[in-house]
Amino acid sequence: MMKAEHWWSGITLIILMVSAVLFGYLQSVDAANPRKSLNWSQSQWISTASEGANGYFRHAIELDNAPQRAVLQVSGTDSLQLYVNGKAIKAAESRSLQATAVLDLSRQLQTGNNILAFELHRSSFPARVALRYELTVIDALGQRQTFFSDPTVQSQALYPQTTTRHKWFDKGYDDAFWTRSSRVAGENRLTQVAIPPEVLLALPSPPSFVLNASQHWSVSLSTTFSYDKSATGQVWLALAADVPYEVVINGISGGVYPPSDAQLHLNSVLPRLRDGENSIEINLMNNGVDPLVAGGLIQGNDYQVSTTFIGADWQVRGGGGSSHSALDDIQSTAGRTQVNMAAPAVPQTYTYTVTDAFTPPAVAQAGPWLQGALVVGFILLVAPLFRLLGVGLLTQLTSTCFANAIAILCLIAAWFVAQDVRFDARQIFSVSALHLMLIVWMLMVIAVLVEQAASVNKHTSGIIPRGWKSASQFKLGHIAFYVVSAVVALVALLLRLQNIEQQALTVDEATIAGFARGVVERGYPYLMVGGMEVELATYELVPYFLATSVNVFGYSDFALRIPAVLFGTGTCLLIMYCGSAWFGRLTGLTAGLLYAISPWAIYWGKNCFHPSQIQFFNLLALIAFYRLLASDRISLKLAGLSALAFACSYLSWEGSGLVLPIMAFVALVIRWQDWRWFFQLNLWIAAVLIIFVVAAQGIRRSLLQEPFIMVGFGKSDLATPKLTFTQPSYEPWYYINNFFFTETHIGLSLFFLLGLIFMFYDRKLSFVVLFVVMAYLSLTNLLGYYNAHYFYFVLPVFLLAVAAVFVKLLMLIQRQCQRISGKVFRIQGALTAALIMWVLVVPAGAGGLHLYRLMSGNIDAMRVDYRPGLAGMDGRSVSLALSQYWRSSDVLITSIPLLTEHYVENKGDYFVQTITDRKVVYDTVKQRPYYVDKFVGNPVLRNKQELQDVLSRHDRVFFVAAPVDGLTRIIDADTLDFINQNMRVVAESYDSRLYLWER
């Protein structure tokens, strides 16, 4: 019967084979979807004359003739919007990178004057945009014109005012007062493109055809073509049709595409091809009309382009009459008749549109499975050979576990490095790299087996006798533990103090800061909303800690954020305490270090909103609950402390009440066979105290909200758990994508997955793992809103589970090294441990890998907390600019009144909201005939007419607009156009603007 160490060794071998296949498949995905880096010639990186997080550029170009093909390659930081002759063409965004695109502008440009306009917004520090582009135009005679970015391009750092006739990106707009751009040093972290500009320039325009198919509900166009894998770099399908169509390649459907009668969408079909003869069929769902179609296949490499466009050599057949279904017809070729096609009366002009999405190749291809076959073949060759040399199969299996683990960890590390934008993923995901890794693995296996065979020939066993001392938790002395703990806590403190005031307060921070001022003034948290005093009905404890800090340090961003720093550092200490108490000192220190360097923890560790505080108290409550769970006889003191810790957590954020069902479930699982534990009097005393706190808070919250008349629905209306899975907004993958799969947590999640196995052998580990799993299920299915910071209180428990698994792996390595002799084997064990540490720490730290390619499209777009250097909305800069322009007779409209009040003591006079998005309140005290905003009670301007009335009654009116990206959710397009036409921007920063209207 196989022992545990044999099972683990066998598992590593199986994982290695699976990893080799997966790595080979990822390599085939890259090979099937070639990407190219842009090559620049005469263009230069440019920016606005004055530094800023936003930039607006205009370039007037003159074309001698109508373009036959016009291709633009462009890159800019971080969000890019392109306009051509007043029309929006392309929007691209790539946080912390340059947004890059290659575009066919053949239909947008015309003979004579043209305007290229670029709008750039940076979402990360430092506040400096950069732009680079090159436009190549070829006319019907083959003459070429080139235009590129240089300092002569007109630019502006503030949003340009719209005139009554033209917007800033239109042809007739007067840019005489714009300034020249400045040349800047560009960055090299460019995203790669699916098709090089030179290839797009070489593509011919396909002929278009009208199919005489009014008697048919579907039309099929088919042909065969040859594909030479060694000579062809890429194959695209470029098709335009005015009806929906399905593409079938080699009998396999590639999906149904919507109509596109003006653009040829370039979709890679290389993953679906085989070397040699291939077939393609295009099924048009015309539903009894004569469809217009153009395009076909394009094959290209670095030197030439060949096409297989739709033409007379294609088979064109119709199927079905008025009683047939088009969807049924495209699945059958029976009963189809020949269809005639002819050129349209008016020739069509098409542009190419590049699809950047990756097309996955078939899983059943030889390449990836060949890598796994190499592993199996090597094993089948080596195992009998060393069996003849006296090394048993179980000994071989056990002694090669480290070699297998090293190979697996190298593949994982390579995958991580490939997600780093500073490295070329295609060099990492290459056949040669995989084969090199397999060769190294084979050499390591041979080396360790030779060592074991030598020990057998010397009549000494490679296996240490049963009397060997079992491995235990790594020993760490008291003094060493306290010194290292202090160092880790100091690191956590310094990382949270660093640049503590770099980011401006968020709206949530300003709101809680306003209630903290109420504590300083009257001893309890409140805000004046118009004539109404509104007491805080949630986060009740948070303002008291902020008020204490304000009394000590004075009112400032630093003072408001110091409590979060202290709570974050305190959480780090608590993690080390409970980690060392539950799992051992090394586990506690590892979990504390991971927390100290976590970018997510660092962000919230200097944000004065509730997450840092709730996390601290929730961990305290969890420690108390664990002591309850571990105690056969629960004392009254322990029960009271547990209830107090939960009360502090609940009164910091009532969403933490979901911890109650989580803990109840964990208790049932762990104490399943000990029902007497559930009937202890002191346990029920703690339960009654907790129920009292929850009930009292709920009653108080309802009573405080009762007097107010409100319009709209907000998060504060959600007072009880909600079955979210019954709602259309249900997102079961939200916390998977925004917690487990974020760029700094993906490596940690691998260890957590192992914890799902280890938990069956460790009661303490099962406690923390079950807590994380149940927290995910509860927040996903019982909370009506999704926000990543709701899950923040789970982070310490998650890190404890990860650190415990990490130490268990080290113990397994130590145990194997004690059990099996040999210098080579122990060197491989040490290397395995080092690689495990690398996978654990490097991707998780703030200064580690830049895994910006990883899951970027699945992260909540509103988040700025998951990556170092993201800026978020900057209400501080526009508020300070407001104070510089302000006169006593001025009037202020502000969408962030608490922020303007915080920074310049000006809460404004009006709030504009023409779309019911945020809650508005009717002021029952002053009894004014309008609603007021929920922040400070400014009257709400509900439409453009009310806004015009305010402007007409004052000489100067300012408008603080933030977040700019969110204005469309509260202000209709007509009112926004009026604002941009009649008010000019005098200050602008990250996602914020300061408008001024003057009579």
Side-chain angles (χ1 to χ4, degrees):
M1 186 175 179
M2 292 183 67
K3 298 180 180 179
E5 57 266 20
H6 299 146
W7 281 111
W8 283 109
S9 301
I11 289 173
T12 61
L13 186 58
I14 294 171
I15 294 175
L16 173 60
M17 289 186 285
V18 173
S19 300
V21 173
L22 288 176
F23 196 98
Y25 182 74
L26 290 174
Q27 186 276 325
S28 69
V29 172
D30 270 359
N33 295 270
R35 293 293 190 268
K36 298 287 185 180
S37 297
L38 292 180
N39 294 318
W40 303 100
S41 57
Q42 303 178 64
S43 61
Q44 301 172 2
W45 285 102
I46 59 174
S47 184
T48 54
S50 58
E51 291 189 7
N54 309 278
Y56 307 88
F57 302 83
R58 283 173 56 92
H59 188 177
I61 62 174
E62 193 79 20
L63 297 184
D64 299 332
N65 300 297
Q68 182 74 18
R69 179 74 65 231
V71 175
L72 174 74
Q73 64 181 64
V74 59
S75 184
T77 53
D78 291 333
S79 174
L80 167 69
Q81 173 68 61
L82 168 68
Y83 304 90
V84 178
N85 292 329
K87 181 179 179 181
I89 303 298
K90 175 73 174 182
E93 182 175 2
S94 186
R95 282 185 169 187
S96 308
L97 291 170
Q98 283 89 11
T100 304
V102 175
L103 306 169
D104 182 2
L105 304 181
S106 305
R107 286 173 59 91
Q108 285 75 33
L109 297 177
Q110 56 195 19
T111 305
N113 181 257
N114 296 267
I115 292 293
L116 299 179
F118 304 88
E119 180 177 351
L120 274 71
H121 303 286
R122 183 146 190 167
S123 58
S124 55
F125 295 109
R128 182 82 176 189
V129 295
L131 171 68
R132 190 173 191 176
Y133 62 88
E134 292 180 5
L135 172 66
T136 304
V137 182
I138 301 177
D139 61 20
L141 301 176
Q143 295 180 346
R144 179 179 296 231
Q145 288 182 272
T146 304
F147 307 92
F148 45 84
S149 56
D150 61 21
T152 62
V153 174
Q154 299 288 91
S155 67
Q156 190 162 308
L158 301 178
Y159 186 80
Q161 185 176 6
T162 301
T163 66
T164 54
R165 297 179 57 188
H166 301 292
K167 296 184 177 180
W168 70 270
F169 44 78
D170 290 335
K171 290 180 65 174
Y173 187 84
D174 183 11
D175 59 3
F177 296 100
W178 286 39
T179 60
R180 288 165 54 96
S181 300
S182 62
R183 183 177 177 181
V184 295
E187 301 180 16
N188 295 320
R189 297 187 299 180
L190 300 176
T191 53
Q192 295 180 318
V193 294
I195 182 170
E198 53 271 17
V199 173
L200 199 58
L201 280 169
L203 295 182
S205 296
S208 56
F209 297 95
V210 176
L211 307 184
N212 184 17
S214 58
Q215 302 301 314
H216 303 282
W217 282 71
S218 67
V219 182
S220 171
L221 302 95
S222 60
T223 190
T224 59
F225 63 97
S226 295
Y227 165 65
D228 185 355
K229 184 176 181 180
S230 61
T232 306
Q234 178 60 290
V235 181
W236 297 277
L237 174 69
L239 203 66
D242 57 0
V243 296
Y245 60 92
E246 180 194 35
V247 178
V248 180
I249 298 176
N250 293 326
I252 301 175
S253 174
V256 177
Y257 297 87
S260 176
D261 55 359
Q263 294 181 325
L264 292 158
H265 290 274
L266 280 166
N267 293 284
S268 172
V269 296
L270 186 62
R272 308 184 191 279
L273 302 183
R274 53 175 177 252
D275 210 5
E277 195 76 7
N278 293 265
S279 65
I280 181 172
E281 183 178 3
I282 301 170
N283 298 304
L284 304 174
M285 291 172 274
N286 59 305
N287 292 330
V289 301
D290 295 336
L292 177 67
V293 63
L297 287 165
I298 299 171
Q299 302 186 46
N301 52 35
D302 294 336
Y303 306 102
Q304 60 182 3
V305 172
S306 61
T307 60
T308 308
F309 286 147
I310 296 172
D313 55 337
W314 284 53
Q315 292 289 328
V316 185
R317 296 184 180 277
S322 59
S323 63
H324 288 71
S325 166
L327 289 174
D328 291 337
D329 289 337
I330 65 176
Q331 303 296 332
S332 173
T333 58
R336 292 191 171 183
T337 58
Q338 189 69 32
V339 173
N340 296 323
M341 59 183 184
V346 179
Q348 300 294 308
T349 302
Y350 297 96
T351 58
Y352 288 96
T353 300
V354 180
T355 302
D356 293 326
F358 273 57
T359 304
V363 175
Q365 54 178 313
W369 296 102
L370 178 61
Q371 319 305 331
L374 286 175
V375 175
V376 175
F378 176 76
I379 294 170
L380 295 177
L381 176 65
V382 170
L385 176 61
F386 281 93
R387 182 69 182 88
L388 293 175
L389 295 176
V391 183
L393 293 180
L394 291 181
T395 302
Q396 291 185 41
L397 188 63
T398 306
S399 59
T400 58
C401 64
F402 289 153
N404 300 336
I406 290 171
I408 294 168
L409 292 167
C410 285
L411 290 177
I412 294 174
W415 183 78
F416 277 126
V417 173
Q419 307 309 312
D420 192 316
V421 294
R422 296 169 295 181
F423 302 100
D424 187 352
R426 295 177 181 275
Q427 291 183 1
I428 299 169
F429 285 116
S430 63
V431 175
S432 58
L434 179 57
H435 287 171
L436 176 62
M437 189 281 302
L438 291 177
I439 290 172
V440 172
W441 168 73
M442 293 174 186
L443 293 175
M444 288 190 297
V445 168
I446 292 173
V448 74
L449 290 180
V450 166
E451 182 179 57
Q452 295 301 312
S455 66
V456 171
N457 292 332
K458 291 180 180 180
H459 307 289
T460 59
S461 173
I463 306 296
I464 295 177
R466 287 182 176 271
W468 61 278
K469 184 179 179 180
S470 62
S472 60
Q473 175 69 281
F474 295 93
K475 299 297 182 181
L476 194 65
H478 292 288
I479 296 178
F481 172 72
Y482 293 132
V483 169
V484 176
S485 298
V487 171
V488 172
L490 181 61
V491 169
L493 177 65
L494 294 178
L495 288 176
R496 283 148 184 78
L497 287 174
Q498 184 183 26
N499 298 324
I500 189 173
E501 295 183 285
Q502 182 181 42
Q503 290 180 307
L505 292 189
T506 65
V507 172
D508 287 334
E509 286 183 285
T511 302
I512 210 70
F515 284 106
R517 286 198 300 269
V519 175
V520 173
E521 293 170 2
R522 299 186 185 177
Y524 61 92
Y526 79 96
L527 281 177
M528 292 302 299
V529 179
M532 302 173 291
E533 181 184 287
V534 178
E535 293 185 40
L536 184 60
T538 182
Y539 321 129
E540 288 92 336
L541 282 185
V542 178
Y544 288 96
F545 294 99
L546 271 60
T548 302
S549 178
V550 167
N551 286 330
V552 174
F553 298 103
Y555 189 78
S556 64
D557 289 1
F558 176 82
L560 291 169
R561 286 172 171 170
I562 278 296
V565 173
L566 298 178
F567 277 120
T569 307
T571 301
C572 184
L573 290 169
L574 278 181
I575 289 173
M576 289 186 286
Y577 162 74
C578 62
S580 60
W582 296 351
F583 303 104
R585 290 176 175 175
L586 183 59
T587 300
L589 292 175
T590 302
L593 177 63
L594 292 174
Y595 181 84
I597 64 174
S598 167
W600 200 32
I602 291 172
Y603 175 88
W604 287 109
K606 49 187 175 185
N607 184 293
C608 68
F609 201 41
H610 70 78
S612 187
Q613 180 171 320
I614 169 64
Q615 186 184 74
F616 176 82
F617 285 121
N618 185 79
L619 186 55
L620 271 180
L622 187 64
I623 293 171
F625 175 74
Y626 181 82
R627 292 186 62 184
L628 284 176
L629 199 59
S631 301
D632 292 326
R633 298 186 63 183
I634 299 174
S635 66
L636 182 61
K637 179 180 179 181
L638 179 58
L641 288 175
S642 302
L644 178 62
F646 174 82
C648 291
S649 173
Y650 188 78
L651 295 177
S652 298
W653 177 53
E654 60 269 26
S656 63
L658 290 174
V659 170
L660 288 178
I662 296 172
M663 290 181 174
F665 177 83
V666 172
L668 284 172
V669 172
I670 293 181
R671 285 281 186 172
W672 179 253
Q673 296 179 344
D674 186 10
W675 290 98
R676 290 180 300 173
W677 182 87
F678 291 95
F679 293 98
Q680 297 185 65
L681 177 62
N682 291 333
L683 177 64
W684 285 99
I685 290 176
V688 170
L689 292 174
I690 289 172
I691 292 172
F692 173 77
V693 170
V694 173
Q697 195 274 347
I699 293 171
R700 177 180 180 273
R701 178 175 181 171
S702 299
L703 291 175
L704 288 175
Q705 290 184 335
E706 186 66 27
F708 304 121
I709 303 174
M710 299 186 181
V711 175
F713 183 84
K715 297 178 183 178
S716 60
D717 294 309
L718 190 65
T720 57
K722 182 178 181 181
L723 298 180
T724 313
F725 53 84
T726 64
Q727 305 298 316
S729 59
Y730 182 54
E731 294 184 56
W733 290 96
Y734 181 86
Y735 292 112
I736 297 292
N737 293 330
N738 284 277
F739 179 78
F740 295 100
F741 286 175
T742 55
E743 56 201 41
T744 54
H745 288 173
I746 184 67
L748 304 178
S749 297
L750 296 177
F751 290 88
F752 185 78
L753 288 176
L754 287 177
L756 296 175
I757 301 173
F758 283 129
M759 63 178 284
F760 293 102
Y761 306 97
D762 189 323
R763 183 178 177 180
K764 296 176 181 178
L765 181 60
S766 66
F767 173 76
V768 292
V769 169
L770 282 175
F771 182 89
V772 174
V773 173
M774 291 305 302
Y776 160 72
L777 294 175
S778 299
L779 290 173
T780 300
N781 296 285
L782 298 178
L783 200 62
Y785 289 94
Y786 295 105
N787 199 311
H789 75 252
Y790 294 165
F791 209 77
Y792 183 63
F793 73 92
V794 184
L795 179 63
V797 190
F798 173 76
L799 295 179
L800 285 170
V802 168
V805 172
F806 165 70
V807 173
K808 284 185 176 295
L809 290 175
L810 294 185
M811 292 174 64
L812 283 173
I813 294 171
Q814 183 189 39
R815 179 178 179 182
Q816 288 292 81
C817 288
Q818 289 179 340
R819 183 175 182 273
I820 300 177
S821 64
K823 185 177 180 179
V824 172
F825 182 77
R826 294 185 177 181
I827 290 175
Q828 291 181 1
L831 184 56
T832 302
L835 285 171
I836 290 175
M837 293 179 192
W838 188 96
V839 172
L840 177 76
V841 176
V842 174
L849 296 175
H850 296 177
L851 307 181
Y852 301 163
R853 295 191 180 107
L854 179 65
M855 301 292 292
S856 58
N858 297 320
I859 300 296
D860 189 337
M862 302 296 292
R863 293 186 61 186
V864 296
D865 58 350
Y866 66 95
R867 179 185 299 169
L870 295 180
M873 183 193 72
D874 181 13
R876 175 171 53 199
S877 296
V878 292
S879 297
L880 295 177
L882 171 68
S883 65
Q884 295 177 357
Y885 290 101
W886 187 257
R887 300 174 187 170
S888 58
S889 59
D890 292 342
V891 170
L892 173 63
I893 304 170
T894 174
S895 60
I896 48 172
L898 287 172
L899 277 171
T900 55
E901 183 181 26
H902 168 76
Y903 283 114
V904 294
E905 298 183 352
N906 188 341
K907 66 179 181 180
D909 304 285
Y910 295 96
F911 184 90
V912 59
Q913 177 173 295
T914 66
I915 303 172
T916 303
D917 176 73
R918 301 172 182 172
K919 273 187 173 182
V920 292
V921 187
Y922 192 81
D923 192 339
T924 57
V925 176
K926 293 186 176 180
Q927 297 182 349
R928 294 177 291 184
Y930 40 71
Y931 282 88
V932 298
D933 75 76
K934 67 176 183 178
F935 303 107
V936 298
N938 286 333
V940 176
L941 305 178
R942 299 168 297 175
N943 50 55
K944 186 174 73 173
Q945 289 70 30
E946 292 184 356
L947 174 61
Q948 290 173 325
D949 178 64
V950 169
L951 298 181
S952 66
R953 290 187 282 108
H954 300 90
D955 293 329
R956 294 194 350 150
V957 177
F958 287 92
F959 174 36
V960 175
V964 175
D965 287 343
L967 289 181
T968 54
R969 294 196 297 269
I970 63 172
I971 304 177
D972 64 272
D974 186 38
T975 305
L976 273 179
D977 286 341
F978 174 81
I979 291 171
N980 288 325
Q981 287 181 17
N982 295 275
M983 306 180 80
R984 62 185 178 92
V985 176
V986 294
E988 186 170 7
S989 187
Y990 292 103
D991 205 14
S992 57
R993 291 174 186 159
L994 175 62
Y995 289 88
L996 171 63
W997 180 87
E998 294 180 290
R999 188 182 300 277

